[in-house]
Amino acid sequence: MASREGLVQRRIVTSDTQGSNVKQTVSDTEEDYSPHDKDVRLTLLEEVILVGIKDKEGYTSFWNDNISSGLRGAMLIELALRGRITLDNTGMRKRSLLSRRVMLKSDAPCGDILLDEALRHVKETDPPETCQSWIELLSGETWNPLKLRYQIRNVRERIAKNLVEKGILTTEKQNFVVFDMTTHPLLDQSQKLGVIKKIQDTLLGRWINDPQRMDKRALALVYLAQASEVLEHAFASLSDEDYDLAMKRVRELLDLDPDVEACKDGADEVLWAVVASFFK
């Protein structure tokens, strides 16, 4: 898991919720998840990959292990924002986010293979699991062989293929001396720049010193990019002054108490439970 000490220095670059009572439909208030272009809708998973992928090489860093868990956290937040999952009710007892279980709210398909696979696992699991457990299970990080079936495999490659279908990435074969690898170089730079601009605007031009008033998707993207250790890529084009300010505000977000934020009006509890799983 990521930690709040995981901020790295910038590199300067020149370029029975399980039963029959589950609702089959989603509320009309379900959020529009288009990041900046209504013709091309991107999920949080796709946005994280776009931030982290090397434009010309077409792959994320071989040494980045945190992106795997970051993408699983993105699945949970995406499902929550689409009205598919929530956290169990605390009742009269006050319980920490890390102890609360993920509950099915609607089993209506999302139309995305990865999200629907994760949703199916949540639906079929009894007793329910916490957000932190789901991040580990979906990543395959479990010593229980009976729970290995929850692992969602080849996530980065499957996300890249989705982006190829949307015309944002392309597909090439690269030779790495001892093996060949399928890569996905950037084809439509405007889409990546739009995601990067959203992150920069959230922390700079449109900064709001209150996370409850921030756009939930933009807020989630900042946290997920940091947890995946790709946030630094979004700051490469910033001046030194803006970079320092953006990093200061990232630290402010990391210093927030997710349990406190989740109790505020309008908060998405799953979002803050995922944040707690990575940074608390």
Side-chain angles (χ1 to χ4, degrees), residues 93-124:
R93 296 174 56 195
K94 185 176 181 180
R95 292 159 50 208
S96 72
L97 290 171
L98 293 178
S99 69
R100 294 175 64 185
R101 312 286 176 172
V102 176
M103 310 299 290
L104 188 68
K105 188 175 179 181
S106 168
D107 62 358
C110 297
D112 179 283
I113 294 176
L114 287 170
L115 295 177
D116 287 340
E117 187 173 344
L119 183 63
R120 185 171 64 254
H121 285 321
V122 173
K123 179 182 178 180
E124 296 173 353

Side-chain angles (χ1 to χ4, degrees), residues 52 213 273:
R213 294 169 54 206

Side-chain angles (χ1 to χ4, degrees), residues 46-208:
E46 291 167 342
E47 290 180 327
V48 170
I49 286 292
L50 278 179
V51 174
I53 202 166
K54 299 179 180 180
D55 295 2
K56 294 181 180 179
E57 292 87 344
Y59 53 83
T60 55
S61 172
F62 293 131
W63 315 113
N64 187 347
D65 294 329
N66 286 334
I67 195 171
S68 176
S69 57
L71 291 172
R72 272 65 177 190
M75 291 179 190
L76 297 177
I77 296 178
E78 188 72 51
L79 288 173
L81 293 179
R82 296 193 188 198
R84 277 17 179 232
I85 62 174
T86 186
L87 296 185
D88 60 350
N89 198 326
T90 59
M92 298 297 292
R93 296 174 56 195
K94 185 176 181 180
R95 292 159 50 208
S96 72
L97 290 171
L98 293 178
S99 69
R100 294 175 64 185
R101 312 286 176 172
V102 176
M103 310 299 290
L104 188 68
K105 188 175 179 181
S106 168
D107 62 358
C110 297
D112 179 283
I113 294 176
L114 287 170
L115 295 177
D116 287 340
E117 187 173 344
L119 183 63
R120 185 171 64 254
H121 285 321
V122 173
K123 179 182 178 180
E124 296 173 353
T125 301
D126 189 21
E129 301 280 356
T130 64
C131 275
Q132 190 168 40
S133 293
W134 271 121
I135 291 171
E136 295 170 353
L137 292 172
L138 296 174
S139 302
E141 298 176 1
T142 175
W143 292 102
N144 187 342
L146 298 178
K147 293 188 175 183
L148 285 174
R149 64 189 180 92
Y150 295 126
Q151 181 181 7
I152 298 182
R153 301 177 183 275
N154 304 317
V155 169
R156 284 187 242 189
E157 177 64 20
R158 293 163 72 181
I159 296 171
K161 287 182 178 179
N162 286 346
L163 291 169
V164 170
E165 292 178 0
K166 293 179 178 181
I168 299 172
L169 303 181
T170 187
T171 301
E172 293 181 359
K173 287 281 187 180
Q174 285 199 29
N175 182 276
F176 289 87
V177 183
V178 294
F179 64 93
D180 291 333
M181 187 176 83
T182 300
T183 61
H184 300 283
L186 187 64
L187 182 64
D188 185 352
Q189 193 176 39
S190 66
Q191 296 295 329
K192 177 168 183 172
L193 291 176
V195 176
I196 289 175
K197 185 177 186 298
K198 178 162 71 169
I199 292 175
Q200 293 180 355
D201 284 350
T202 300
L203 296 170
L204 296 171
R206 298 180 181 177
W207 169 256
I208 303 172

